[in-house]
Amino acid sequence: MPRIAGINIPNNKRIEIALTYIYGIGRSLSKKIILETKINPHTLASKLSSEEVGRLKEVIEKNYK
């Protein structure tokens, strides 16, 4: 289970939806983050590589917290 911004996001959800489990991130912001990190929005959270998780953490913690 990836941990981003102090939140364990669910493995069985697409990353586009899983990011909405983080307080303050809705669908539209989730889509912006996905575009910025160049990750396929249909990828399951459990299938993310450590590099992709790192990019997500960096973008979210730098720009949206």
Side-chain angles (χ1 to χ4, degrees), residues 15-16 19-20 25-34:
I15 191 60
E16 181 180 19
L19 287 178
T20 64
I25 297 180
R27 291 290 299 270
S28 61
L29 186 53
S30 175
K31 288 179 183 183
K32 283 183 185 178
I33 293 167
I34 296 293

Side-chain angles (χ1 to χ4, degrees), residues 15-62:
I15 191 60
E16 181 180 19
I17 302 301
L19 287 178
T20 64
Y21 282 69
I22 300 171
Y23 180 78
I25 297 180
R27 291 290 299 270
S28 61
L29 186 53
S30 175
K31 288 179 183 183
K32 283 183 185 178
I33 293 167
I34 296 293
L35 286 173
E36 191 172 334
T37 57
K38 298 178 179 141
I39 296 173
N40 181 352
H42 301 293
T43 304
L44 292 178
S46 62
K47 302 292 184 190
L48 291 174
S49 69
S50 58
E51 178 187 313
E52 290 171 326
V53 172
R55 288 196 320 246
L56 284 169
K57 284 181 184 180
E58 182 180 323
V59 168
I60 291 169
E61 292 173 359
K62 179 178 158 190

